[in-house]
Amino acid sequence: MSTPEVSTAEVSGAAPAGATPTGAISVASPLPGRLIPLSEVPDPVFAKGLVGGGAAVIPDDDAEVLTAVAPLDGKVIKVMPHAYIVQHASGPAVLVHVGIDTVGLKGEGFSVLAQKGDQVRTGDPMISVDVAFVRSKNLSMCSPVVILDSAPDAIEPPASGGRVEAGGHLFSLPGKIPEK
């Protein structure tokens, strides 16, 4: 798995009192680029939905330094140079993994902008990434955005090739996430 250091045990699964199980939550794209369904991600763990359902974004070929943003309003549960988790107040947690196998860079090419425990709003800066540097190491910048502990088909996958801006709508979370 590309992200063995990301533990879903750190994410609280209990919805707080007053949470609405039927309201949909909009998840924003962390980066600008081309949308693809998880099934097309060049990592079998993400492609098979083993981490959860979601979608992925591939930054443009000419991208240089980008700021990855929070995909939804919530609390930062974990942040590393190459990945972060934001949990919505109603329970669902979203993992953003910037690039594939980027954990091996040990933070090189990345800057952490948010901290564990921070309350963030959709579009708040989380990490910056030197896309050109990552690609110079022959690593994919395909960036999965996954609802942790959800079924692989928890969301309707986007059509491959659509374009999205950072902070733009990526997909909607149903009010109650189907578990694996």
Side-chain angles (χ1 to χ4, degrees), residues 132-169:
F133 172 79
V134 172
R135 288 184 170 148
S136 78
K137 299 297 184 182
N138 293 318
L139 296 174
S140 171
M141 272 302 301
C142 180
S143 299
V145 180
V146 177
I147 310 159
L148 291 176
D149 296 324
S150 67
D153 60 352
I155 65 140
E156 185 68 34
S160 189
R163 174 135 182 93
V164 68
E165 293 301 321
H169 180 76

Side-chain angles (χ1 to χ4, degrees), residues 21 51-53 92 147-155 172-180:
V51 180
I147 310 159
L148 291 176
D149 296 324
S150 67
D153 60 352
I155 65 140
S172 292
L173 293 178
K176 181 160 176 49
I177 306 300
E179 292 188 13
K180 292 191 225 182

